[in-house]
Amino acid sequence: MTDNTNLVKGNTGLWEVVIGLEVHAQVSSKAKLFSGSATEFGADPNTQVNFLDAGMPGMLPVINGYCVDQAIKTGLGLNGILNLVSVFDRKNYFYADLPTGYQISQFTRPIVTGGYLDIDLEDEKTKRVNLTRIHIEQDAGKSTHDLHPSLSYIDLNRAGIALMEIVSEPEMRSSQEAMAYVKKLRSILRYLGSCDGNMEQGSLRADANISLRRPGEPLGTRAEIKNVNSVRFLGQAIEYEIQRQLEILEDGGEIIQETRLFDHIKGETRSMRSKEDAHDYRYFPDPDLKPLILTQERIEKIRTTMPELPDDKKSRFINDYGLSPYDASVLVAEQETAFYYEDVVKASTSTDKRQAAKLIANWLISEVFGAMNKQSVSISSLPFKKNDLATLVDLIIDGTISGKIAKDVFIKMWETGKSPKDLVKDLGLQQISDPSIIEKTIEQILNDYPDKVADYREGKVQLFGFFVGLVMKVLQGKANPGLVNEILKKKL
Ligand code: ADP
Ligand code: MG
């Protein structure tokens, strides 16, 4: 529906899609933002709530320094400007799962201003999306309306957990770009360890702001789709919303600025409420909290703990190991996979490191990931040792076994956990690289098929494969293919 310039074709002409995302990322921290309550997911309702979280009068918030460090790390990882002074405000609204009647957030002075991330699109294209800001705020509790016919249930375990709200500029132009943005953001946050990125558990949620305009015109009125908790749903919600707005605008109608919800069962968005403006929230600085002051020293200390992030890792894999950009991006998407990959490369004893590294990448991406998917096994619980995978690849490189035999060895390795060397020995799979054995076999075959040999010599060169097949059959697939080709050519 969207063409490659990302414009949408309507009956009255072309439209440009404009998308800005607000992502709420739960900060990985054992304790909440302003209280010592635990944050673990899945605990029994209302077991991780203290007086402060429950909004009891007279309780005072105390900032959790670790959560602030996590936000600093995130700001650095997303290339933002860290503000040495930021301020906590009260955002006032009434809702049953917000016992204080206000959420502590940052409004006028967030901890991070600006920043950017490079999203990965098809055909190795990338696009830089700028960030407006990152601020710290509290999460609200959770209401459940479908457990009782006339009552709602409130669980305050989530109330007061630290969130980072990461706000993008309205720079995305298609659902694909928005999905790529969330994927990349999630990957970076996981690398940083500042948010676990588990969208199914609600620790990463996206609000999508969407509008349409004629190319070159000012921004149109947007609708906001709240709390989308999967990348796929985000794509579906945006596609639906583009169509909905397109129909209204093409009919000469107007988009109402409102908050909508995506119903993933019906595959549509529906209106939730008209959109509040900032003044509706009566923001004011929280009198219980002093401004948040960061020292340059604190920031620099955190900078020294920054991990290598996916883009840098990808370039390094391409440069150091000669990987294709595609293979490199598959391997760096999850930090754990990238670490695993490099451990195997290090364990290889092959003298040609680049050759080994490339082969290991192929093996991981096709054989290992394939088997992992089939067996629903994660990279942290593979049934064989990293060293054994390295050895398997080394055995291919030094010619002990062919790539084809290696696949059989791999299956056995997976099933038994035995080392590839033992398996090759036990199963007698060692490749035949003794030229005299191969030569004898070839001579025998050429004697058995004088007609075919004559045909070949008269120009029927496609018969070469026929002879190779016979040699392999006689030697049970174990002959060194390079040697078979070489000797066969000579003899023919
Ligand atoms: P809020 O939604 O809290 O009122 P903002 O007005 O700052 O906050 O906008 C939030 C998000 O909406 C940002 O990601 C911004 O890029 C995006 N946005 C703003 N205007 C538009 C628009 N006309 N179309 C699409 N996205 C927009
Ligand atoms: Mg918003």
Side-chain angles (χ1 to χ4, degrees):
M1 183 224 336
T2 41
D3 68 0
N4 51 10
T5 60
N6 277 331
L7 294 177
V8 177
K9 217 189 231 134
N11 297 323
T12 62
L14 295 173
W15 296 90
E16 185 176 42
V17 176
V18 176
I19 302 167
L21 293 179
E22 295 160 276
V23 169
H24 287 94
Q26 229 175 59
V27 176
S28 298
S29 156
K30 289 210 164 70
K32 293 183 179 179
L33 181 56
F34 296 112
S35 85
S37 302
T39 60
E40 208 169 315
F41 179 82
D44 283 341
N46 297 308
T47 55
Q48 299 177 160
V49 186
N50 69 11
F51 290 127
L52 184 96
D53 311 320
M56 293 294 160
M59 295 294 120
L60 287 176
V62 178
I63 185 110
N64 177 342
Y66 182 71
C67 292
V68 175
D69 288 348
Q70 291 282 52
I72 294 173
K73 207 171 188 187
T74 306
L76 293 172
L78 295 171
N79 314 292
I81 297 164
L82 284 148
N83 295 315
L84 298 183
V85 181
S86 63
V87 172
F88 287 106
D89 299 290
R90 289 187 181 178
K91 180 179 183 180
N92 300 281
Y93 64 92
F94 181 77
Y95 204 74
D97 57 24
L98 187 74
T100 48
Y102 60 84
Q103 175 192 28
I104 304 178
S105 180
Q106 296 188 307
F107 182 55
T108 46
R109 305 189 70 174
I111 186 167
V112 178
T113 306
Y116 62 83
L117 61 109
D118 294 326
I119 62 173
D120 302 299
L121 302 169
E122 273 177 10
D123 303 326
E124 294 306 321
K125 285 203 203 82
T126 61
K127 171 174 170 169
R128 179 155 296 179
V129 177
N130 289 294
L131 303 182
T132 315
R133 57 193 268 148
I134 303 172
H135 64 255
I136 310 175
E137 62 184 25
Q138 300 174 297
D139 209 342
K142 204 175 160 185
S143 310
T144 307
H145 305 292
D146 55 5
L147 286 180
H148 190 280
S150 57
L151 299 175
S152 284
Y153 288 91
I154 307 287
D155 175 9
L156 294 180
N157 282 353
R158 210 176 63 184
I161 289 184
L163 296 178
M164 296 177 285
E165 180 168 336
I166 302 161
V167 183
S168 86
E169 289 290 296
E171 293 181 347
M172 284 158 274
R173 295 290 174 263
S174 65
S175 58
Q176 286 83 357
E177 290 187 4
M179 289 192 287
Y181 173 91
V182 172
K183 279 191 203 157
K184 190 59 171 283
L185 181 59
R186 182 176 57 185
S187 168
I188 294 172
L189 294 174
R190 282 179 170 161
Y191 266 72
L192 293 168
S194 62
C195 167
D196 66 28
N198 291 336
M199 296 186 84
E200 331 75 59
Q201 297 183 353
S203 25
L204 193 83
R205 330 191 278 265
D207 299 347
N209 294 270
I210 301 154
S211 64
L212 263 51
R213 65 175 170 192
R214 295 291 189 193
E217 293 281 300
L219 290 179
T221 305
R222 68 186 149 125
E224 179 184 37
I225 309 167
K226 271 277 177 208
N227 279 334
V228 186
N229 68 349
S230 102
V231 173
R232 191 161 55 92
F233 293 161
L234 179 69
Q236 291 170 357
I238 292 173
E239 285 300 326
Y240 179 88
E241 192 56 26
I242 292 172
Q243 278 312 310
R244 188 187 72 86
Q245 294 189 14
L246 182 68
E247 278 165 33
I248 294 173
L249 292 169
E250 294 258 291
D251 281 350
E254 267 177 36
I255 304 299
I256 304 164
Q257 180 164 330
E258 63 181 352
T259 300
R260 300 178 70 85
L261 279 183
F262 179 62
D263 179 335
H264 65 88
I265 293 162
K266 292 200 179 123
E268 59 189 39
T269 65
R270 61 166 181 272
S271 182
M272 182 165 106
R273 53 177 146 91
S274 70
K275 166 96 184 139
E276 295 84 356
D277 282 315
H279 61 254
D280 296 326
Y281 289 118
R282 298 287 186 269
Y283 278 102
F284 65 89
D286 192 313
D288 291 339
L289 287 158
K290 286 194 271 188
L292 177 61
I293 312 284
L294 307 182
T295 59
Q296 200 60 46
E297 200 188 348
R298 180 175 183 178
I299 296 170
E300 293 317 316
K301 199 167 152 211
I302 292 172
R303 202 191 298 278
T304 61
T305 70
M306 294 292 285
E308 180 181 41
L309 290 175
D311 288 341
D312 288 340
K313 216 183 257 305
K314 181 178 168 185
S315 324
R316 187 166 60 77
F317 282 8
I318 294 171
N319 293 331
D320 289 6
Y321 302 135
L323 299 192
S324 71
Y326 174 81
D327 285 0
S329 49
V330 172
L331 293 175
V332 305
E334 300 276 350
Q335 195 179 33
E336 213 184 344
T337 313
F339 283 154
Y340 185 94
Y341 169 67
E342 284 208 282
D343 285 347
V344 178
V345 171
K346 279 189 199 117
S348 161
T349 54
S350 176
T351 45
D352 188 343
K353 267 281 174 244
R354 275 170 83 93
Q355 187 191 14
K358 265 201 252 188
L359 203 52
I360 290 166
N362 290 343
W363 266 78
L364 263 185
I365 291 169
S366 51
E367 303 306 315
V368 182
F369 290 178
M372 274 165 57
N373 280 340
K374 244 189 249 155
Q375 318 269 342
S376 297
V377 167
S378 74
I379 196 128
S380 56
S381 47
L382 288 172
F384 52 83
K385 295 190 210 75
K386 282 178 200 167
N387 281 359
D388 287 342
L389 185 60
T391 307
L392 183 66
V393 170
D394 288 344
L395 290 175
I396 302 172
I397 292 175
D398 72 17
T400 308
I401 53 175
S402 67
K404 196 156 164 284
I405 295 283
K407 287 183 187 176
D408 298 337
V409 177
F410 175 70
I411 293 171
K412 288 275 183 275
M413 228 168 91
W414 186 290
E415 285 169 357
T416 65
K418 281 191 191 162
S419 83
K421 275 191 177 146
D422 287 348
L423 286 166
V424 168
K425 204 159 39 162
D426 294 354
L427 302 171
L429 294 172
Q430 185 116 0
Q431 182 161 264
I432 299 168
S433 294
D434 179 346
S436 67
I437 296 178
I438 295 175
E439 197 168 330
K440 244 188 10 227
T441 310
I442 289 176
E443 278 166 1
Q444 182 63 50
I445 287 169
L446 298 188
N447 274 335
D448 290 350
Y449 292 90
D451 309 351
K452 301 261 186 211
V453 173
D455 288 352
Y456 178 87
R457 291 190 176 138
E458 269 156 38
K460 242 184 145 182
V461 288
Q462 63 271 37
L463 279 171
F464 194 78
F466 165 79
F467 291 117
V468 172
L470 278 178
V471 178
M472 282 301 185
K473 201 168 154 202
V474 172
L475 295 175
Q476 295 167 311
K478 289 183 287 187
N480 179 321
L483 272 179
V484 171
N485 276 311
E486 193 186 306
I487 298 172
L488 195 56
K489 255 187 209 137
K490 219 162 50 199
K491 295 277 166 196
L492 278 168

